[in-house]
Amino acid sequence: MTPRERKNFFAGLGFTSLWIVGLGVFTAYPVIASLYYSFCDYSILKSAVWIGGENYQELVGDALFWKSLGNTLVFAALSVPLGTAVALGLAMLLNCDVRGRPFFRVVFYLPSIVPVVASSMLWLWIFNGEYGLLNGVLAPVLGWFGLTPPAWFADPAWSKPALVIMSLWGVGNAMVIYLTGLQNVPKELYEAAEIDGASAWKRFRHVTLPCIAPVVYFNVVMGLIGAMQVFAQAFIISDAANGGTGTHDGAPARSLLFYTMYLFTTAFHDLRMGYASAMAYVLFIVIAVLTWMATRLSRGNAE
């Protein structure tokens, strides 16, 4: 290394030193420490005691662990495909050359930047079984057929579907990414397909989808990771279902007990940091496996 290269190296190191310190203190250390604590009995108030793999063994027999994992997987299985379809559909509509297009793009993007707490309170009112906006519309229509609308967040059978519908409120970010991908599809391909007599569906299937496949893959993986970590909405709704008592048990009937909520209550309510750390690493492995499966599926479709 020449003196000039050495000078540039240390200058670059100096400029990035704050970032390196931040990465080490706020990311690398917590990751390594939580891995160690996952093999310990640790409650913050006392020193960690090494117990080997007991936390992981206890997870196998923990009914709430399986309940929360099942709820989370069901939510992800419903919300990711539906969110992908809605975001892509909106992006295709907003990619059309219509009057007021910038206005509609802003309107459909705005909900995604509304704070989670505010939007959760709004949806609590919309899905209220007695005086909510949605049931106010559905009740007269279903009444013609002798049916009554569901109680949504007050009904264990409908709480997760309601949360999935609520999650569509935030598809604006994915919609913008899809819109960017659609605008990069060469117009010549559509013109050639039209000359060959391809229908709108065939143009979408054989031109649009292959061209935006990397964008779809990115959004699906990010949506999957986000769905597996769903927390704030369920946390607020569960608290409201318990009358605002500060109890977060996934009410009603633990149907909204998601994995991260159980992890949070285990760590900060029960002060079982070691057990919660083990849960965190299990979640990491589950997300890694699902991401690998999505990648394999994406490559299979590309081939």
Side-chain angles (χ1 to χ4, degrees):
M1 183 180 292
T2 65
R4 183 179 181 82
E5 289 175 339
R6 187 180 296 108
K7 181 181 177 181
N8 290 338
F9 172 76
F10 283 110
L13 203 59
F15 280 117
T16 58
S17 58
L18 287 177
W19 181 85
I20 293 172
V21 171
L23 178 68
V25 173
F26 298 111
T27 301
Y29 171 73
V31 169
I32 297 171
S34 60
L35 178 61
Y36 170 73
Y37 290 139
S38 71
F39 294 98
C40 297
D41 181 9
Y42 180 48
S43 64
I44 297 181
L45 303 176
K46 297 179 181 178
S47 300
V49 178
W50 180 267
I51 57 173
E54 287 187 19
N55 286 327
Y56 293 95
Q57 292 175 0
E58 187 177 344
L59 281 175
V60 176
D62 186 347
L64 289 182
F65 164 77
W66 293 109
K67 178 72 175 177
S68 61
L69 183 60
N71 285 340
T72 306
L73 289 173
V74 169
F75 175 78
L78 294 175
S79 65
V80 174
L82 189 59
T84 300
V86 172
L88 181 56
L90 287 175
M92 294 186 68
L93 289 174
L94 295 175
N95 195 40
C96 298
D97 188 14
V98 295
R99 178 180 293 181
R101 185 170 58 177
F103 170 76
F104 289 114
R105 287 177 178 176
V106 173
V107 167
F108 283 104
Y109 178 72
L110 274 179
S112 65
I113 60 174
V114 175
V116 174
V117 175
S119 64
S120 298
M121 299 306 293
L122 174 65
W123 283 97
L124 273 171
W125 168 66
I126 292 175
F127 281 120
N128 189 285
E130 296 181 5
Y131 50 84
L133 175 65
L134 184 58
N135 279 3
V137 175
L138 290 177
V141 178
L142 294 178
W144 295 341
F145 305 97
L147 302 174
T148 56
W152 301 110
F153 288 133
D155 186 344
W158 284 94
S159 56
K160 275 194 284 294
L163 199 65
V164 170
I165 296 172
M166 179 179 161
S167 70
L168 300 179
W169 176 262
V171 299
N173 288 322
M175 180 196 71
V176 171
I177 297 173
Y178 280 126
L179 191 57
T180 305
L182 290 172
Q183 291 176 345
N184 287 327
V185 178
K187 303 293 182 188
E188 297 79 9
L189 295 179
Y190 289 119
E191 293 171 358
E194 287 181 2
I195 293 173
D196 291 339
S199 63
W201 166 250
K202 287 185 177 178
R203 291 199 298 273
F204 172 75
R205 174 68 181 84
H206 299 291
V207 177
T208 305
L209 272 184
C211 289
I212 65 169
V215 180
V216 175
Y217 167 74
F218 172 79
N219 274 331
V220 167
V221 170
M222 296 306 292
L224 189 60
I225 294 172
M228 291 300 297
Q229 299 181 67
V230 59
F231 174 76
Q233 300 93 330
F235 191 81
I236 295 168
I237 293 167
S238 176
D239 184 43
N242 286 311
T245 58
T247 304
H248 307 100
D249 57 356
R254 301 193 189 280
S255 62
L256 295 181
L257 180 64
F258 291 108
Y259 196 93
T260 51
M261 187 190 297
Y262 184 43
L263 192 156
F264 176 84
T265 55
T266 301
F268 297 102
H269 289 186
D270 303 337
L271 295 182
R272 300 185 65 194
M273 291 294 175
Y275 194 71
S277 296
M279 288 184 64
Y281 272 92
V282 170
L283 179 62
F284 168 75
I285 293 170
V286 170
I287 291 176
V289 170
L290 292 176
T291 303
W292 174 78
M293 291 171 63
T295 304
R296 294 280 298 181
L297 185 63
S298 174
R299 288 178 180 173
N301 289 333
E303 293 171 357

